[in-house]
């Protein structure tokens, strides 16, 4: 947080199957796995392209956390399904050590393409929908603290959730 590249509006990807895109996605996957995140957007590693990845495996330690299929989503568009918003705690690899309570649409449709340029068109809800909204916000230069409505609900992960050893995502 503070790097101007995280505040920029990213450019769409126009060429698919290129070595540059493959290298970017490999770097993003490595970074997300290494930092144990739920998702990552290209500007988080300094690349101003409309590329996000996300995915969460089922974790018996967090039975309430929904599994999200590993997805490469390029040039995404989001369409909320209904006006219902839901508050949930978020963290971010670009805002390490902090958590904030963020309102997001509970249900949405997301479209875009994968790394081969093949169309993606899905509906998602709850945690899956939250992760997508968080990552796509990165492509428009928005970090989650700007979405927090009540700044008393923003703090250090260790203080808010002592002993839970939560990863940044
Ligand atoms: Ni983030």
């Amino acid at each position: 947080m503070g790097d101007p590249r995280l505040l920029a509006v990213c450019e769409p990807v126009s060429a698919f199957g290129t070595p540059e895109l493959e290298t970017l996605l490999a770097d993003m996957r490595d970074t997300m796995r290494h930092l144990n995140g739920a998702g990552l957007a290209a500007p988080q590693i300094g690349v101003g392209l409309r590329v996000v990845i996300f995915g969460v495996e089922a974790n018996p330690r967090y039975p309430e956390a929904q599994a999200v299929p590993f997805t490469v989503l390029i040039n995404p568009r989001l369409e909320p399904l209904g006006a219902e918003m839901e508050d949930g705690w978020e963290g971010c690899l670009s805002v390490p050590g902090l958590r904030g309570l963020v309102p997001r649409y509970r249900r949405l449709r997301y479209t875009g393409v994968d790394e081969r340029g093949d169309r993606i068109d899905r509906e998602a809800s709850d945690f899956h929908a939250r992760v997508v909204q968080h990552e796509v916000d990165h492509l428009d230069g928005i970090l989650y603290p700007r979405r927090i409505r009540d700044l008393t609900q923003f703090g250090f992960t260790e203080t808010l959730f002592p002993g839970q050893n939560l990863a940044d995502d």
Side-chain angles (χ1 to χ4, degrees), residues 22-71:
E22 258 174 52
T23 302
L24 170 63
L25 288 166
D27 286 350
M28 289 176 68
R29 275 191 288 263
D30 288 348
T31 303
M32 185 174 111
R33 285 206 189 106
H34 181 69
L35 298 172
N36 198 22
L40 193 78
Q44 292 186 275
I45 58 167
V47 176
L49 290 172
R50 301 188 78 79
V51 177
V52 303
I53 63 173
F54 51 85
V56 180
E57 287 175 16
N59 185 337
R61 282 171 62 207
Y62 302 106
E64 74 284 4
Q66 180 190 2
V68 177
F70 182 80
T71 302

Side-chain angles (χ1 to χ4, degrees), residues 44 91-94 134-135 138 169:
Q44 292 186 275
C92 181
L93 300 172
S94 300
H134 176 113
E135 297 310 330
H138 276 295
D169 51 23

